[in-house]
Amino acid sequence: MATLNLPAWGYGIRYSYGMFRQSIVNGFQHEQPDYWLTFGNPWEIERLIVSYPIKFYGHVSVHQEEGRQVFRWNAGEQVTAVAYDNPIPGFRTRNCINLRLWAAKPSREFDLEAFNTGDYVQAILGKQRAETLSSVLYPDDRTYEGKELRLKQQHFFVSATLQDVVRRYKEAHPNNWDLLPERVAFQLNDTHPTIAVPELMRILMDENKLGWTASWAICCKVFAFTNHTVLPEALEKWPVSLMEKLLPRHMQIVYDINWRFLQTVRAKYGDDWERISRMSIIEDGTQGDKFVRMAYLAVAASHTVNGVAAIHSDIIKNTIFKDFADLFPGKFQNKTNGVTQRRWLAFCNPPLRRLITERLGSDEWITDLDRLRGLREHADDPTLQQAWRTVKHQAKQRAAAKIHALTGVKVSPNALFDIQIKRIHEYKRQLLNVLGIIHRYDAIKKMSPEERSKLVPRVCIIGGKAAPGYEMAKRIIKLMCAVGEKINNDRDVGDLLKLVFYPDYNVSGAEILIPASELSQHISTAGTEASGTSNMKFQMNGCLIIGTMDGANIEIAEESGKENMFVFGVDADDVPNLRKERKNLKTDKRFDEVMADIEGGMFGDKEYFKPLVDSISNMKVGNDWFLVANDFASYLEAQEEVDRVYKDVDEWTRRSILYTAGSGKFSSDRTIVEYAKDIWHITPLRPPATK
């Protein structure tokens, strides 16, 4: 946004710690504190005069003022949000926008009375309780206390932000609320900030004395919602009991929003109680408990709802939000994700940046990525191909050195670098990748020396973190490490195959691995990945993709040529029926052999791996929900095609160049321009030139 000269602000929480630092001990993931602010942040500016009270708990009282009913939230706990500003300069522009992060501070720094009576712990408890709010990114929410902290963080973030925006608006436009929707736009990035809807209603009604109708009209004009999932279980829901306890005024407002919204539904469909129940923001649980469906609240309040890839936007209109799309057909759009070429190509891969600039005759592509299309006419040029391979080899040498430093495993830069780096999740199917590697290992062990001499050596690199409470993902990490331990120490296999788990994968690691990658795996079950953005980063760096027709893979295939991608797997439309029929599937013999390897203890810890094996092969226990067995044979065929093409050096390089040439659409510049034009309705505001 800064580079595009858009008048925008970013808001967030000033976390002291990241999610966690991952360490691998005997193949098991361990979570360590990820210190973000131990040594401070030289770029931030503390704004002590910009602070706001944030309320929690308590009760709501009703009063009469000037003939109208007024609700007053009598908080049981209050903390202070203090602003820290971070300048975000644009590239090749004088525009610099602000990222304002909120730190939680106690309303009272120190309870002197408690201290003087000898209660030293109580004297500092308030400070510790307040600072916990901005301590850790994504706290574990398996427990009630974890859920409560998550919701407190969300309210803390949006309340401080909304108070700040309303204050700045009122200073510029005192007593004129009609202009607010023309001056302010909020993009709800997934469901996490959706509590902003009742919070803005509270600020407008309770603190600024607007009526319900005027307040709701403003909310419906300022909020837009971006959805990032197709999985119903990933849509955030909060227990009504928790929200009533923590945010009692907001729960009242949500009930009112829901009642009025359902009147709209009844006006359209009559007493269709099944539909009304499906669309209600308040869900009745099976145990008599109730939940607030935050995604439904966001859809009801927003003027625009968008998905983040063409297939994703179609899926949500036909599945999780179908009823809403039927009611509000004009509300739904698509905005395919993008990544910034400045970080993910120009700055993380300087040799490729120089080569592209030399061939295109300028570096204007750094701000206009569509100019990379000019590489297409040079894709068959032997001189460019040789230079392209040299750049890739240099990146592979750099990555090999980093891998050795981190893991102690030596890998050959002359082998094919096959990389899958993303958070560990069953739907992303790192398990399918590992099973394919086990099959490859078995095949190598059976080959004659002559057959081995014709084989493409391969270095398989997998990285990613499992959520602390996601046991199955942790088992997948352990399996990766166990398989790697077996293969990497097998002298008979040598450099023909290596498997490395890259520990504590993060942005810095990605900046080393992505330029080095020759094949990247984006192999989620069709219809489960909203978009993906790592595939775009790999594409920009000339990395070929093996993948399903899912998420942004479909659009990447359109831009770089489906014939240049190694496509496999079932279609999204077929997934529901295949899941129903999975128990009757006759699995591929190679799949059965790999399962037998794991169950037989080839990689040790067979009891620990048993739930993993059962989840995809024993239909009396699991259901193979993500269709690993269904896609296994197709996946192996695609991998065989990878080997065939890689042996043709010129063809592989030609495809690599075409991938980079086709990445223009996936610049975040294009994405943000579309948001600005179609959703926010703002135009660039270029700073005046200096004299």
Side-chain angles (χ1 to χ4, degrees):
M1 288 190 282
T3 297
L4 295 171
N5 297 302
L6 294 173
W9 283 54
Y11 284 95
I13 295 178
R14 181 181 180 266
Y15 292 105
S16 299
Y17 302 92
M19 186 166 64
F20 61 84
R21 183 174 61 83
Q22 181 192 58
S23 62
I24 303 296
V25 180
N26 296 324
F28 292 96
Q29 172 181 289
H30 290 255
E31 298 92 29
Q32 309 293 336
D34 186 12
Y35 302 101
W36 278 5
L37 294 175
T38 302
F39 302 106
N41 176 4
W43 300 109
E44 71 181 7
I45 304 165
E46 186 179 25
R47 304 287 194 194
L48 291 175
I49 62 171
V50 182
S51 63
Y52 301 96
I54 312 297
K55 300 177 182 180
F56 301 103
Y57 306 111
H59 67 278
V60 179
S61 56
V62 183
H63 305 269
Q64 292 291 327
E65 290 184 9
E66 300 176 357
R68 65 189 297 268
Q69 197 176 52
V70 175
F71 293 84
R72 184 173 300 150
W73 182 11
N74 305 284
E77 180 181 306
Q78 183 171 302
V79 302
T80 300
V82 177
Y84 287 75
D85 287 348
N86 297 262
I88 308 296
F91 183 75
R92 290 180 180 169
T93 173
R94 293 183 61 248
N95 189 40
C96 185
I97 62 177
N98 189 36
L99 172 62
R100 177 160 285 178
L101 303 179
W102 302 107
K105 305 290 184 183
S107 296
R108 285 195 303 169
E109 183 69 22
F110 186 69
D111 189 343
L112 183 60
E113 183 177 341
F115 186 85
N116 287 337
T117 59
D119 194 347
Y120 306 123
V121 174
Q122 183 62 39
I124 62 171
L125 273 181
K127 183 176 190 296
Q128 291 182 331
R129 193 160 43 239
E131 292 178 350
T132 298
L133 279 175
S134 54
S135 289
V136 180
L137 171 69
Y138 296 144
D140 189 350
D141 61 356
R142 282 176 292 176
T143 64
Y144 179 88
E145 291 76 15
K147 289 181 173 64
E148 186 176 45
L149 178 55
R150 280 271 189 120
L151 184 54
K152 288 183 78 171
Q153 283 186 335
Q154 292 178 7
H155 173 65
F156 169 80
F157 161 45
V158 302
S159 180
T161 299
L162 290 170
Q163 290 183 69
D164 191 49
V165 171
V166 169
R167 173 191 61 81
R168 292 192 292 115
Y169 173 79
K170 288 169 68 175
E171 289 175 355
H173 308 281
N175 302 316
N176 185 357
W177 293 103
D178 293 339
L179 285 176
L180 183 61
E182 296 179 24
R183 298 290 185 266
V184 173
F186 294 110
Q187 191 70 36
L188 301 174
N189 189 25
D190 219 346
T191 54
H192 310 306
T194 303
I195 198 67
V197 174
E199 173 65 359
L200 182 56
M201 290 291 288
R202 185 194 68 82
I203 290 172
L204 294 176
M205 293 191 301
D206 298 358
E207 297 185 2
N208 292 279
K209 312 308 180 189
L210 272 70
W212 177 280
T213 302
S215 300
W216 183 245
I218 289 172
C219 280
C220 292
K221 292 177 182 176
V222 298
F223 286 116
F225 171 48
T226 298
N227 170 264
H228 287 275
T229 185
V230 298
L231 304 176
E233 62 270 23
L235 295 177
E236 191 173 56
K237 295 187 291 188
W238 291 113
V240 166
S241 58
L242 173 60
M243 192 173 288
E244 285 178 331
K245 172 188 171 186
L246 184 64
L247 304 170
R249 178 62 179 131
H250 297 70
M251 195 62 245
Q252 289 180 341
I253 293 171
V254 170
Y255 271 127
D256 281 348
I257 291 172
N258 189 48
W259 185 84
R260 294 165 192 258
F261 170 66
L262 292 182
Q263 298 312 303
T264 302
V265 176
R266 288 186 69 190
K268 176 71 179 291
Y269 299 107
D271 293 337
D272 184 346
W273 299 112
E274 184 176 341
R275 180 186 295 270
I276 290 170
S277 176
R278 290 199 310 265
M279 298 184 72
S280 175
I281 296 167
I282 308 299
E283 177 187 49
D284 291 318
T286 56
Q287 305 298 319
D289 43 358
K290 295 177 182 291
F291 297 89
V292 181
R293 295 161 159 162
M294 301 305 283
Y296 289 11
L297 176 59
V299 173
S302 297
H303 59 80
T304 305
V305 177
N306 70 276
V308 291
I311 184 176
H312 171 233
S313 297
D314 287 339
I315 288 173
I316 64 174
K317 286 190 293 185
N318 291 300
T319 56
I320 56 176
F321 297 141
K322 184 180 187 308
D323 289 326
F324 293 87
D326 291 342
L327 182 62
F328 306 120
K331 184 177 281 196
F332 288 79
Q333 296 185 10
N334 174 59
K335 294 289 173 279
T336 298
N337 276 338
V339 299
T340 171
Q341 66 269 23
R342 289 170 284 282
R343 173 183 288 274
W344 293 112
L345 178 51
F347 297 146
C348 79
N349 199 346
L352 187 57
R353 168 184 177 168
R354 289 191 290 269
L355 179 59
I356 292 171
T357 298
E358 176 187 336
R359 182 52 61 123
L360 294 181
S362 82
D363 66 357
E364 291 183 11
W365 59 270
I366 298 177
T367 53
D368 182 6
L369 199 61
D370 279 333
R371 291 178 179 269
L372 290 183
R373 295 181 187 276
L375 290 171
R376 286 176 174 163
E377 61 189 77
H378 305 286
D380 293 305
D381 184 338
T383 303
L384 176 61
Q385 286 193 357
Q386 183 57 51
W388 199 270
R389 287 192 289 269
T390 299
V391 164
K392 182 64 73 174
H393 191 74
Q394 291 170 353
K396 290 169 68 177
Q397 289 176 316
R398 180 178 173 225
K402 184 67 174 180
I403 288 168
H404 184 243
L406 283 177
T407 68
V409 178
K410 291 185 177 180
V411 299
S412 171
N414 296 318
L416 187 162
F417 272 31
D418 172 350
I419 299 181
Q420 186 182 23
I421 41 178
K422 52 189 73 199
R423 67 186 172 95
I424 309 300
H425 197 290
E426 288 166 279
Y427 89 83
K428 291 180 181 289
R429 298 203 296 189
Q430 286 93 348
L431 181 56
L432 176 60
N433 187 355
V434 177
L435 301 184
I437 293 169
I438 294 172
H439 168 74
R440 192 177 188 87
Y441 175 66
D442 287 344
I444 292 172
K445 295 293 287 183
K446 296 173 184 175
M447 287 181 180
S448 67
E450 182 181 358
E451 289 172 321
R452 292 186 184 187
S453 68
K454 299 176 182 178
L455 189 67
V456 173
R458 192 176 298 210
V459 173
C460 302
I461 303 162
I462 305 175
K465 297 179 179 180
Y470 194 173
E471 188 59 37
M472 199 63 83
K474 288 186 170 182
R475 293 178 194 271
I476 293 172
I477 289 177
K478 173 60 176 173
L479 180 62
M480 295 173 193
C481 295
V483 173
E485 184 75 14
K486 177 78 172 179
I487 294 173
N488 299 340
N489 290 293
D490 190 332
R491 294 184 179 180
D492 185 43
V493 173
D495 284 340
L496 286 176
L497 182 63
K498 297 289 184 185
L499 170 58
V500 177
F501 184 81
Y502 190 95
D504 200 33
Y505 168 67
N506 54 24
V507 170
S508 298
E511 290 178 327
I512 295 172
L513 295 176
I514 290 174
S517 183
E518 293 171 290
L519 179 73
S520 65
Q521 303 212 25
H522 307 277
I523 57 177
S524 53
T525 312
T528 62
E529 183 70 85
S531 168
T533 53
S534 66
N535 45 9
M536 303 170 187
K537 299 165 190 172
F538 283 106
Q539 179 197 17
M540 283 183 184
N541 285 270
C543 173
L544 277 62
I545 289 174
I546 180 171
T548 52
M549 284 292 94
D550 195 27
N553 281 359
I554 297 171
E555 291 164 81
I556 290 174
E558 291 170 356
E559 297 296 314
S560 293
K562 188 175 180 179
E563 69 278 6
N564 296 318
M565 186 183 288
F566 304 101
V567 178
F568 74 96
V570 301
D571 292 332
D573 292 342
D574 297 329
V575 166
N577 285 332
L578 290 172
R579 283 174 171 161
K580 293 176 184 177
E581 299 166 1
R582 172 60 184 87
K583 63 181 179 296
N584 301 317
L585 175 72
K586 180 174 174 53
T587 52
D588 189 273
K589 186 177 82 168
R590 294 164 296 182
F591 177 83
D592 298 336
E593 290 172 351
V594 170
M595 292 295 99
D597 287 345
I598 301 171
E599 287 184 294
M602 178 184 287
F603 308 104
D605 294 297
K606 62 180 182 180
E607 290 303 317
Y608 184 74
F609 296 138
K610 182 171 174 52
L612 201 57
V613 172
D614 285 347
S615 71
I616 60 173
S617 66
N618 183 351
M619 294 302 98
K620 294 179 180 179
V621 177
N623 58 13
D624 193 13
W625 187 252
F626 298 107
L627 303 180
V628 173
N630 294 71
D631 280 350
F632 189 71
S634 176
Y635 176 69
L636 294 185
E637 290 170 9
Q639 288 285 15
E640 290 169 2
E641 179 65 12
V642 168
D643 289 337
R644 284 193 291 272
V645 177
Y646 194 76
K647 291 176 182 178
D648 186 341
V649 176
D650 291 341
E651 172 60 17
W652 187 277
T653 308
R654 184 189 72 85
R655 293 190 186 191
S656 176
I657 295 170
L658 289 175
Y659 267 67
T660 301
S663 63
K665 175 180 178 178
F666 304 104
S667 168
S668 54
D669 293 348
R670 187 269 314 153
T671 308
I672 295 301
V673 165
E674 291 182 3
Y675 274 102
K677 175 176 175 288
D678 301 334
I679 298 178
W680 306 329
H681 307 298
I682 60 174
T683 54
L685 188 63
R686 181 177 291 275
T690 56
K691 294 183 180 179

